[in-house]
Amino acid sequence: MDKVITISRQYGSGGREIGQKLADAWGIPFYDNELITRAAKESGFAEAAFESAEARANNSLLYSIARGTAHFSGQDMGFSVSNLSLDDKLYIAQAEVIRKCAAEGPCVIVGRCADYILRKRDDLVNIFVYADMEFRKERAIRIDHMEEEKIESAILKIDKRRANYHNFHTGEKWGRIENYSLCVDSGRIGTDKAAEVIRLYVESL
Amino acid sequence: MDKVITISRQYGSGGREIGQKLADAWGIPFYDNELITRAAKESGFAEAAFESAEARANNSLLYSIARGTAHFSGQDMGFSVSNLSLDDKLYIAQAEVIRKCAAEGPCVIVGRCADYILRKRDDLVNIFVYADMEFRKERAIRIDHMEEEKIESAILKIDKRRANYHNFHTGEKWGRIENYSLCVDSGRIGTDKAAEVIRLYVESL
């Protein structure tokens, strides 16, 4: 398997778990929250600063990071880096980490607009994982210990946040079929079998 | 395999061919244009009348067909059957045929809003097949002998027609991920392998 796989997923669909299963099956790296750690280490940032865009507003330091790690100059793109929001600067630093991970070889990356950030790579395969609400509720309660009360609106809120994050940073619509090579409803077959279906697709390339 | 499979597809993606491959592999009926023939025969219509909604406006005959084959009464749904357009009446007659096909047992049905018409069946699996424009152009020229000039706009026009037909009759958006259990980009792996991936998904249910 010589591809870079990105997985976008609805909250509770098991997309992260499926990504881990795929990486294990292929014996390749898996990047999810590790991405934050790695970004933090490479950029000399404290991990905590990356966990929330609101956490700190140390703009001058972020500015130098964004400059130091980004391949492009903000000025070339018609904006001034110093005018970027903290959120944008974090995005730029994370994008750079994602590019480095992919450059190291085949891997599975979950979330964080990796599908868009790596769109120019020929070896890229974008996967979308989704599921019915019952499946997602059950997982949210069992795995993330989410409260049962108002769980549906809580789940939809997380999806909304993911969609907004993606749409804002990419200008493309999250969950639009054409952005992916394969979209799998994991709710009907479970995460093990969903991983098998994705594996067959990728190994058919 | 004990499921009813519907395939929705972008023009040129090979969705019809994939549907045929699946039906052959499972040894079950495949319905596409045959659907029209069957609808025509069962309703006592001339086939030609079904081929184009504009072809004839024999309203009183269509009215009796719509009444005779539809499970619901138009009045119950807040409209008068006699006020339905010819197009709507054809849709009702075709929907009835699709329901009958599905009631007879496992089968593969391509297009014609079958995904929506059969949405209450527990054994339903909706698949969406799509592909990049280059793949679709090549197939349109080779298989449908489409002219190379302005082919891209011709392809997009057919998709637009399919989307409009679906959206009009179902009130749902054609090609929206959540309407399907699996969405496959056939352009990257070809129709044979796409059929294998779909087969694995369906047989995992």
Side-chain angles (χ1 to χ4, degrees):
Chain A
M1 213 294 294
D2 58 354
K3 301 287 183 278
V4 170
I5 312 295
T6 76
I7 296 186
S8 306
R9 75 291 181 218
Q10 287 185 336
Y11 174 72
S13 68
R16 193 194 168 284
E17 187 178 309
I18 290 167
Q20 183 73 68
K21 284 180 203 289
L22 287 168
D24 291 348
W26 286 317
I28 60 175
F30 172 74
Y31 301 110
D32 180 23
N33 292 327
E34 288 91 324
L35 209 60
I36 295 177
T37 315
R38 184 163 170 162
K41 283 181 185 162
E42 292 201 4
S43 64
F45 255 79
E47 194 175 327
F50 274 85
E51 280 172 358
S52 162
E54 294 78 38
R56 245 174 295 174
N58 192 344
N59 280 357
S60 61
L61 181 53
L62 273 161
Y63 171 67
S64 63
I65 296 304
R67 288 290 299 254
T69 56
H71 279 141
F72 58 86
S73 144
Q75 280 78 2
D76 292 345
M77 300 179 70
F79 59 82
S80 160
V81 171
S82 58
N83 286 338
L84 287 174
S85 69
L86 181 57
D87 206 15
D88 283 334
K89 288 169 186 170
L90 284 169
Y91 177 78
I92 291 169
Q94 289 181 342
E96 189 54 23
V97 171
I98 287 171
R99 279 188 213 101
K100 280 184 183 166
C101 292
E104 283 175 11
C107 59
V108 177
I109 307 175
V110 175
R112 289 166 203 279
C113 303
D115 55 333
Y116 178 81
I117 290 160
L118 302 175
R119 68 193 179 284
K120 289 183 180 161
R121 294 186 68 95
D122 290 334
D123 60 354
L124 187 69
V125 188
N126 297 327
I127 308 289
F128 191 80
V129 180
Y130 56 107
D132 58 277
M133 187 49 78
E134 284 313 304
F135 183 84
R136 297 163 67 192
K137 277 184 190 172
E138 190 278 326
R139 288 183 62 87
I141 294 166
R142 180 167 51 82
I143 300 169
D144 290 350
H145 309 293
M146 205 182 259
E147 298 276 348
E148 280 196 62
E149 207 189 339
K150 294 186 187 170
I151 191 168
E152 191 163 327
S153 65
I155 287 173
L156 293 175
K157 205 169 164 183
I158 297 174
D159 274 357
K160 183 82 183 162
R161 204 161 64 206
R162 288 182 182 177
N164 285 346
Y165 181 82
H166 189 274
N167 303 351
F168 176 77
H169 286 296
T170 70
E172 291 183 355
K173 208 169 166 295
W174 186 72
R176 189 174 158 268
I177 274 180
E178 287 89 343
N179 290 345
Y180 313 98
S181 291
L182 189 69
C183 310
V184 184
D185 177 347
S186 56
R188 290 193 77 171
I189 57 172
T191 56
D192 278 337
K193 288 178 173 173
E196 277 175 38
V197 170
I198 295 168
R199 205 175 156 189
L200 178 61
Y201 185 94
V202 172
E203 292 177 0
S204 298
L205 286 163
Chain B
M1 214 293 293
D2 58 353
K3 302 285 184 277
V4 170
I5 313 295
T6 76
I7 297 186
S8 306
R9 74 291 181 219
Q10 287 185 336
Y11 175 73
S13 67
R16 194 195 168 283
E17 187 178 309
I18 290 168
Q20 182 72 69
K21 284 179 203 289
L22 287 168
D24 290 349
W26 286 317
I28 59 175
F30 173 72
Y31 301 110
D32 180 23
N33 292 328
E34 289 90 324
L35 209 60
I36 295 178
T37 315
R38 183 164 171 159
K41 284 182 185 160
E42 293 203 3
S43 63
F45 255 78
E47 195 175 326
F50 276 85
E51 279 172 359
S52 161
E54 292 79 39
R56 248 178 290 177
N58 191 346
N59 280 357
S60 62
L61 181 54
L62 272 161
Y63 170 67
S64 64
I65 296 302
R67 287 290 300 254
T69 56
H71 280 139
F72 58 86
S73 146
Q75 280 78 1
D76 293 345
M77 299 179 73
F79 59 83
S80 161
V81 171
S82 58
N83 286 337
L84 288 174
S85 71
L86 181 58
D87 205 15
D88 283 334
K89 289 171 186 169
L90 285 169
Y91 177 78
I92 290 169
Q94 288 181 341
E96 189 54 24
V97 171
I98 286 170
R99 278 187 213 103
K100 281 184 183 165
C101 292
E104 283 175 11
C107 59
V108 176
I109 307 174
V110 175
R112 289 169 202 276
C113 303
D115 55 332
Y116 179 81
I117 291 160
L118 302 175
R119 67 192 179 283
K120 289 183 181 162
R121 294 187 68 98
D122 290 335
D123 60 355
L124 186 70
V125 188
N126 297 326
I127 308 289
F128 191 80
V129 181
Y130 55 107
D132 58 278
M133 187 50 78
E134 284 313 304
F135 183 82
R136 297 162 68 191
K137 277 185 192 171
E138 190 278 325
R139 289 182 61 88
I141 294 166
R142 179 167 51 83
I143 300 170
D144 290 350
H145 309 293
M146 208 182 256
E147 298 276 347
E148 279 196 65
E149 206 189 337
K150 294 186 186 170
I151 190 168
E152 190 163 328
S153 64
I155 287 174
L156 293 175
K157 206 170 164 183
I158 297 174
D159 274 357
K160 182 84 183 162
R161 204 162 64 206
R162 288 181 182 178
N164 286 346
Y165 181 81
H166 189 274
N167 302 351
F168 176 77
H169 285 297
T170 70
E172 290 182 355
K173 208 168 167 296
W174 186 72
R176 188 174 160 268
I177 271 181
E178 287 90 343
N179 290 346
Y180 313 99
S181 291
L182 189 69
C183 310
V184 184
D185 178 347
S186 57
R188 290 193 77 170
I189 58 172
T191 56
D192 279 336
K193 287 178 174 174
E196 277 175 39
V197 171
I198 296 168
R199 206 175 155 187
L200 178 61
Y201 185 93
V202 173
E203 292 177 0
S204 299
L205 285 164

